[in-house]
Amino acid sequence: AYDIANSCRFNDDDSAYMNITPSAGNRKTYTFSTWVKRANLGSDQVLLNGGGGGNPNTTIRFDSGNQFHVFEYTDGFVWRLQTNRLFRDVSAWLHIVVAVDTTQATDTNRVKIYINGTQETSFAENDYPAQDTDYSINNNVQHNIGNNASSNYFDGYMAETVFIDGLALTPTSFGEFDSDSPTIWKPKNVSGLTFGTNGTYLQFSDSANLGDDTSGNTNDWSETNLDATDQATDTPTNNFC
């Protein structure tokens, strides 16, 4: 079995987050994958933002109603997917994959959300991106993990956080059901994936450098209000009470 040793604790009371400003990459096709354990409900909490909170920006977050929401915003929603399902379990780890490929001819194939290996198909809002359009993630603008510029801080833990530049992957690249856990989604080793130029793999294994990219690209993220005590051993393979 594949074991995850560490996670990163994001305490919203500390205004903790990470950021990077990448070179412009593939803005049509990418994948974001992370394991999360929520610690506080009922507020907008950002997992990933591209655009630094300005106009335009692409955001992946939990909403104040505890729905999961992915959107592009420019003085209003350009496109968005917001789940009907609510995510209110603060005792369990969730695996989230958001795969974007605006080159797809069928609009419903341009953004896919997977939770614990299963695609979300029931949405309160389901306006899809325009075909072959570049959006904010992977542009040469500030990207944040854990907040939207100076607000909407995530409160909880993240582990095995991956950004793939140039490929829209399915969850089987990051996890699996197997004979030992036929009904429980569990992580697998992602070190062999093709991450792409701006790709990132955050294992949070260095307490002195929690934003260290271990993909081989050295796309390190800068930490704000995070320190060595925010490295945790509560992980998807070692879930604390």
Side-chain angles (χ1 to χ4, degrees), residues 10 16-18 32-38 44-50 58-63 67-70 94-98 115 137 143-148 151-159 161 202 221:
F10 291 80
Y17 70 100
M18 298 181 179
F32 176 69
S33 167
T34 191
W35 290 81
V36 300
K37 185 178 182 181
R38 305 193 68 190
D44 294 336
Q45 296 183 30
V46 171
L47 302 181
L48 177 68
N49 167 265
T58 304
T59 299
I60 299 171
R61 76 181 189 189
F62 293 104
D63 285 343
Q67 296 157 289
F68 190 73
H69 199 179
V70 182
L94 291 172
H95 182 231
I96 294 169
V97 174
V98 177
I115 308 292
I137 283 184
H143 287 50
N144 298 328
I145 289 175
N147 86 338
N148 180 14
S151 61
N152 301 150
Y153 290 93
F154 176 65
D155 195 67
Y157 299 84
M158 291 193 202
T161 300
L202 300 179
W221 292 65

Side-chain angles (χ1 to χ4, degrees), residues 104-120:
Q104 294 293 318
T106 302
D107 61 356
T108 54
N109 290 332
R110 294 175 199 153
V111 181
K112 295 180 180 180
I113 298 170
Y114 304 90
I115 308 292
N116 288 341
T118 301
Q119 186 175 353
E120 292 294 310

Side-chain angles (χ1 to χ4, degrees), residues 3 17 22 27 37 49 53 61 75 77 85 89 108 132 138 146 169 174 176-177 184 189 196 225-226:
D3 289 325
Y17 70 100
R27 295 165 58 192
K37 185 178 182 181
N49 167 265
R61 76 181 189 189
D75 297 322
F77 292 109
R85 189 150 72 110
D89 189 348
T108 54
D132 282 322
N138 225 7
L169 301 180
F174 310 97
E176 62 186 350
F177 297 111
I184 300 173
N189 194 334
N225 299 323
L226 289 163

Side-chain angles (χ1 to χ4, degrees), residues 168-179:
L169 301 180
T170 62
T172 54
S173 294
F174 310 97
E176 62 186 350
F177 297 111
D178 64 11
S179 57

Side-chain angles (χ1 to χ4, degrees), residues 72-143:
E72 176 83 7
Y73 190 91
T74 307
D75 297 322
F77 292 109
V78 178
W79 59 264
R80 61 172 168 162
L81 294 182
Q82 182 187 49
T83 65
N84 279 312
R85 189 150 72 110
L86 308 182
F87 299 91
R88 298 177 294 192
D89 189 348
V90 294
S91 67
W93 281 89
L94 291 172
H95 182 231
I96 294 169
V97 174
V98 177
V100 175
D101 185 359
T102 69
T103 68
Q104 294 293 318
T106 302
D107 61 356
T108 54
N109 290 332
R110 294 175 199 153
V111 181
K112 295 180 180 180
I113 298 170
Y114 304 90
I115 308 292
N116 288 341
T118 301
Q119 186 175 353
E120 292 294 310
T121 57
S122 177
F123 296 106
E125 301 286 348
N126 59 343
D127 300 314
Y128 289 89
Q131 187 176 8
D132 282 322
T133 304
D134 290 332
Y135 291 106
S136 300
I137 283 184
N138 225 7
N139 195 9
N140 181 218
V141 292
Q142 182 172 318
H143 287 50

